[in-house]
Amino acid sequence: MTNLSNRVLNMKESVTLAASARAKALKAQGRDILSLTLGEPDFVTPKNIQDAAIEAIQNGKASFYTVASGLPELKDAINTYMENFYGYSVNRNQVVVATGAKYILYTFFTTVLNPGDEVIIPTPCWVSYVDQVKMVDGVPVTVATTEANDFKATVEQLEAARTDKTKVLLLNSPSNPTGMIYSREELEAIGNWAVEHNVLILADDIYGRLVYNGNEFTPISSISEAIRNQTVVVNGTSKTYAMTGWRVGFAVGNEEIISGMSKVISQTTSNLTAVSQYAAIEALTGPQDSIEDMRQAFEERLNTIYPLLCEVPGFEVIKPQGAFYLFPNVKKAMEMKGYTDVTAFTTAILEEAEVALVTGAGFGAPENVRLSYATDLDTLKEAVRRLKAFMEK
Ligand SMILES: Cc1ncc(COP(=O)(O)O)c(C=O)c1O
């Protein structure tokens, strides 16, 4: 007999958090583990943002509940951000703020899905999408993409996955875990397909400002008014502003959906922690130079580590365009070492090479592993050296 609901019994633990916990446990036993598991910048939150938060605490502004959907000043700051980076304006009723983009996504699914409604999710995809859809009795319909198509779904694939139950298409560009970015033309085709078939687009743009080597991020919602009306944008300050601990996520979209999401938030968490909201106002509207410094640091790491990773026997990797992950295909490497299961292979790397990676299995990619390069260059170089030594043994 279990006390747990079927909902929880059917849920998987986040593989990234599990991999990071396993690495930490081995470290605690004294093992010299290098962890490339977490999608978290290794920088501390910029000083101007910290100062704004301290000021809000000290002058008493952070002591109280705010409007459940977020401070009006923060919604205005998000509007400024949308004007600057998306090229269009929104009003306060089109914006909602919550505890991380992760909870924003969950709130969105709760708001729009009836039991049985389908969400098309191109894979490899971030670990939480599939389980979140299931948690609200929606049906995730995964569409597999591969290296052959730069891990991008085509309209033909989406159309093949569409049924009369299709309610949402989830699009994450730049992608976690692949780092690939959809081009304007690709987005236009996908957006028009969604409009034609009345499929909502959930655009997870959280890595939109972390793009490298001249690659550009186009928000799908900026392409046309018809596509924008069909799209809910998900974003947050975690990745761009080195603010994972502050838990600031937001959604921007049509008023009906945003007001539904606000209702869910008002009955669950109430407002995002007030101090984080004041920090976010400064993040979005204050000086942006430290953001560019961090972006450049990620770019340098990518450009240093990518050629080294390409030299690891059996690892085949497309150079990512954004986010901070490398997602090598290790099919050949597994064959060379006698593994058929990528999770077992990842465990062997952890045990023998003392490098913690995330198995591709949790992302819907049974031939890949994910390395996060949101860590310092020395650690990255040593980790790749160990991987090479492991493969050459
Ligand atoms: C694609 C993607 N979306 C959303 C999130 C959630 O970010 P947060 O909840 O920290 O705002 C993450 C975090 O890893 C992510 O990789």
Side-chain angles (χ1 to χ4, degrees):
M1 234 334 238
T2 171
N3 289 315
L4 302 182
S5 68
N6 291 338
R7 176 167 294 144
V8 170
L9 287 172
N10 289 333
M11 197 187 291
K12 283 195 291 243
E13 197 192 347
S14 156
V15 289
T16 46
L17 297 185
S20 143
R22 175 103 186 99
K24 280 190 183 139
L26 288 178
K27 258 190 189 167
Q29 292 170 15
R31 300 273 303 270
D32 173 28
I33 305 291
L34 300 179
S35 181
L36 310 186
T37 53
L38 271 192
E40 166 163 78
D42 54 325
F43 304 107
V44 294
T45 306
K47 173 106 179 20
N48 62 310
I49 302 173
Q50 294 181 21
D51 288 344
I54 292 166
E55 201 250 326
I57 292 171
Q58 289 184 336
N59 69 20
K61 288 194 292 192
S63 303
F64 306 103
Y65 290 130
T66 72
V67 182
S69 60
L71 287 165
E73 305 92 290
L74 177 51
K75 293 181 183 177
D76 292 346
I78 291 167
N79 176 45
T80 304
Y81 185 82
M82 298 305 288
E83 284 174 347
N84 290 342
F85 298 106
Y86 285 68
Y88 62 89
S89 308
V90 289
N91 68 47
R92 289 178 182 169
N93 295 334
Q94 292 178 276
V95 180
V96 63
V97 178
T99 311
K102 193 180 239 180
Y103 189 67
I104 282 282
L105 289 160
Y106 182 67
T107 305
F108 172 86
F109 295 132
T110 309
T111 302
V112 306
L113 297 182
N114 284 315
D117 283 348
E118 293 176 359
V119 179
I120 297 180
I121 309 176
T123 60
C125 69
W126 182 49
V127 292
S128 294
Y129 297 143
V130 166
D131 281 278
Q132 286 199 354
V133 169
K134 286 188 192 159
M135 277 159 76
V136 298
D137 296 327
V139 179
V141 177
T142 54
V143 168
T145 71
T146 64
E147 286 88 353
N149 220 359
D150 285 341
F151 288 120
K152 290 191 265 190
T154 60
V155 167
E156 291 68 39
Q157 283 182 298
L158 300 178
E159 182 56 19
R162 188 175 65 82
T163 72
D164 56 4
K165 286 274 186 194
T166 305
K167 185 93 185 250
V168 178
L169 164 69
L170 202 161
L171 212 66
N172 174 218
S173 168
S175 152
N176 173 5
T178 69
M180 300 315 285
I181 303 177
Y182 284 81
S183 69
R184 170 173 285 275
E185 294 68 38
E186 289 161 344
L187 291 171
E188 192 169 5
I190 290 174
N192 289 338
W193 167 85
V195 171
E196 185 187 340
H197 300 291
N198 197 24
V199 174
L200 289 170
I201 302 167
L202 180 58
D204 183 344
D205 295 350
I206 196 140
Y207 295 100
R209 297 203 37 214
L210 292 172
V211 299
Y212 314 114
N213 300 313
N215 285 295
E216 274 179 29
F217 159 66
T218 305
I220 191 166
S221 58
S222 71
I223 286 179
S224 71
E225 206 169 323
I227 296 175
R228 184 173 321 147
N229 292 338
Q230 200 75 19
T231 303
V232 172
V233 172
V234 177
N235 214 321
T237 60
S238 285
K239 315 287 177 177
T240 314
Y241 295 93
M243 288 178 69
T244 47
W246 301 79
R247 311 304 306 123
V248 181
F250 56 87
V252 177
N254 87 47
E255 293 188 21
E256 184 195 20
I257 296 177
I258 295 296
S259 112
M261 291 174 68
S262 304
K263 195 154 77 172
V264 174
I265 288 162
S266 77
Q267 292 291 21
T268 50
T269 59
S270 296
N271 60 275
L272 163 66
T273 317
V275 67
S276 292
Q277 297 194 50
Y278 287 103
I281 293 172
E282 175 63 20
L284 298 175
T285 56
Q288 304 287 305
D289 34 330
S290 49
I291 306 323
E292 176 56 14
D293 293 346
M294 292 191 276
R295 192 201 64 76
Q296 283 178 12
F298 289 131
E299 186 172 77
E300 189 199 347
R301 291 169 185 181
L302 169 64
N303 291 342
T304 309
I305 215 71
Y306 172 74
L308 299 178
L309 193 64
C310 291
E311 285 170 17
V312 176
F315 279 53
E316 292 180 345
V317 52
I318 305 184
K319 189 166 186 181
Q321 303 168 312
F324 36 57
Y325 309 101
L326 288 150
F327 201 57
N329 185 305
V330 292
K331 186 167 186 263
K332 287 197 183 133
M334 288 199 287
E335 279 165 15
M336 287 161 70
K337 289 292 222 179
Y339 288 91
T340 48
D341 174 60
V342 73
T343 305
F345 183 63
T346 311
T347 305
I349 291 175
L350 177 62
E351 291 297 339
E352 292 176 41
E354 301 194 309
V355 176
L357 307 175
V358 185
T359 167
F363 301 98
E367 294 180 356
N368 298 69
V369 292
R370 192 191 77 174
L371 293 75
S372 162
Y373 54 90
T375 192
D376 64 276
L377 258 180
D378 287 343
T379 305
L380 288 167
K381 284 188 203 158
E382 172 58 14
V384 176
R385 191 198 62 73
R386 289 185 193 182
L387 288 177
K388 193 156 179 257
F390 169 80
M391 286 309 302
E392 284 169 353
K393 218 168 45 189

